[in-house]
Amino acid sequence: MNRKKHTLLPVAAATVLLAGCGAQVDEPSQAALDTTTVKRCGEDVEYRTPERVVAYEAGSADKLFALGLVDHVHGYVMPPANPPVEESPWADEYASVEFLSDDLLNRELVVDAEADMVVAGWNSGFSDERGITPEILDGLGVQSFMHTESCFNYPGHPERVTPFEGLYTDLERMGEIFGVSERAEELVADHRSRVETVVEQAPGGDPVPVFLYDSGTDQPFTAGNQVPPNDIISHAGGENIFGDLEERWTQVGWESVVEAEPEVIIILDYGDQPAEDKIDFLTSSPTMAEVPAVVEENFFVLDYNEGISGPRNIDGLEKFAEYLREFDQNRG
């Protein structure tokens, strides 16, 4: 397949387009004129050094903050499902940039913010249906960066890696774009070392069957093999009962959950339904009454931002691995 290198509009042209949308754009600095070519999913894109980044959700902002790029971030969009940013390891960084919206990402917000880059995921921020895609932003002279974890079904330029490799790839690519490759390499090396330690300490024997419960009553919403919880489960010594699904977040049937007989259930904690309410639903469900994890009340609560692509994935892994080691010691 013949893939064309995609270059964003020249800065001067971008200024004209944005001005036509009502935005006031200053003359670019020399840093903004420096370029480097980095992949955006499977597509080669020429990037200028961003100075007014808009980040969608905590996974995007966390990656930027972990790399020490707070001075390049203008603001963030944080839907209500996200836990409060005050609970973040980067609470000070969140406080120093602008909170732009608690709604979904949209083109008008990006233009009004005079953003020169948007960081989000494909179908988790960027969306054909809502009219905000990398291609549309290219036409406005606004750069975009997509989480590699979300690229496996990106139209025209898919890229498939395991979720943790997607995290490492993002940090390395951001390092190139912003000129902090050394910091990115150090951060990735630290993440890899922490993951390796978990794998070395994982229980032996047959993997523990694990079901991730996101939400849903008529049908449960869960994690396929294209999202971080799949790696969290497998590296800790478990087996995602829906790890054979080539999906990110997806619906399944309760019958499939029951048939898999999970011994542990991970509750993804977010939004206005507390984890305790989700556990109450599962323990009171006649359908789930004989499932081993429900009978033994083996529930592990995973924070939302430990379950979406971001540096906190490694924290979630370490916490779940500790839980699973203790579970294994008591396993009959």
Side-chain angles (χ1 to χ4, degrees):
M1 180 170 61
N2 182 24
R3 290 184 176 175
K4 295 181 179 179
K5 176 181 173 181
H6 190 93
T7 305
L8 294 171
L9 287 174
V11 175
T15 302
V16 172
L17 281 170
L18 281 171
C21 295
Q24 187 69 36
V25 180
D26 296 330
E27 287 297 314
S29 67
Q30 181 59 45
L33 296 174
D34 296 334
T35 63
T36 185
T37 299
V38 176
K39 285 191 178 296
R40 181 178 66 191
C41 293
E43 177 183 23
D44 287 331
V45 172
E46 190 174 82
Y47 285 93
R48 304 179 307 276
T49 305
E51 296 183 327
R52 289 181 65 86
V53 180
V54 167
Y56 178 73
E57 282 201 311
S60 301
D62 286 359
K63 289 173 184 176
L64 293 159
F65 294 152
L67 289 168
L69 298 172
V70 64
D71 290 341
H72 295 261
V73 179
H74 170 64
Y76 62 93
V77 177
M78 198 69 69
N82 276 257
V85 297
E86 290 79 12
E87 299 175 3
S88 165
W90 297 281
D92 290 343
E93 284 82 353
Y94 278 103
S96 69
V97 300
E98 188 173 342
F99 169 63
L100 299 171
S101 175
D102 62 0
D103 200 354
L104 298 175
L105 191 65
N106 64 75
R107 182 171 41 182
E108 291 72 24
L109 180 151
V110 170
V111 172
D112 289 346
E114 302 176 24
D116 59 5
M117 175 184 271
V118 178
V119 180
W122 179 244
N123 285 335
S124 55
F126 297 119
S127 166
D128 273 322
E129 291 77 9
R130 287 186 288 102
I132 180 164
T133 67
E135 184 177 10
I136 288 171
L137 291 181
D138 288 347
L140 294 173
V142 180
Q143 305 177 109
S144 58
F145 184 94
M146 280 189 290
H147 301 303
T148 305
E149 167 261 338
S150 71
C151 289
F152 85 105
N153 61 352
Y154 178 58
H157 301 280
E159 182 177 20
R160 177 168 296 192
V161 296
T162 58
F164 277 12
E165 286 298 326
L167 168 62
Y168 308 149
T169 298
D170 290 345
L171 294 171
E172 291 166 348
R173 289 177 178 173
M174 285 181 169
E176 291 183 55
I177 292 169
F178 289 91
V180 292
S181 289
E182 185 174 343
R183 170 60 181 148
E185 290 169 4
E186 292 173 354
L187 191 58
V188 169
D190 175 71
H191 287 349
R192 289 187 183 277
S193 176
R194 290 167 65 188
V195 171
E196 184 178 344
T197 297
V198 167
V199 172
E200 289 173 350
Q201 296 175 349
D206 294 335
V208 178
V210 180
F211 167 53
L212 182 137
Y213 180 50
D214 176 299
S215 60
T217 54
D218 293 338
Q219 287 184 295
F221 211 54
T222 190
N225 60 24
Q226 296 296 312
V227 287
N230 190 70
D231 281 5
I232 288 174
I233 293 167
S234 62
H235 288 319
E239 181 178 13
N240 178 6
I241 63 171
F242 293 108
D244 59 341
L245 296 181
E246 300 288 329
E247 302 281 355
R248 296 181 70 211
W249 304 97
T250 187
Q251 276 190 329
V252 295
W254 286 114
E255 298 80 5
S256 298
V257 178
V258 174
E259 289 173 5
E261 298 184 330
E263 296 182 44
V264 170
I265 295 177
I266 294 177
I267 306 293
L268 192 64
D269 190 21
Y270 69 95
D272 57 3
Q273 184 182 13
E276 292 78 7
D277 290 356
K278 295 181 182 180
I279 292 172
D280 288 344
F281 167 74
L282 293 173
T283 55
S284 63
S285 167
T287 303
M288 295 286 286
E290 301 302 320
V291 169
V294 174
V295 172
E296 299 297 329
E297 297 189 357
N298 294 325
F299 297 105
F300 175 85
V301 177
L302 182 70
D303 183 84
Y304 181 76
N305 289 311
E306 294 170 347
I308 64 172
S309 183
R312 284 186 259 182
N313 291 158
I314 313 303
D315 300 327
L317 168 66
E318 291 172 337
K319 294 172 187 176
F320 183 61
E322 181 180 1
Y323 172 88
L324 214 56
R325 288 194 297 269
E326 292 177 2
F327 170 84
D328 184 69
Q329 292 174 1
N330 299 316
R331 196 179 185 189

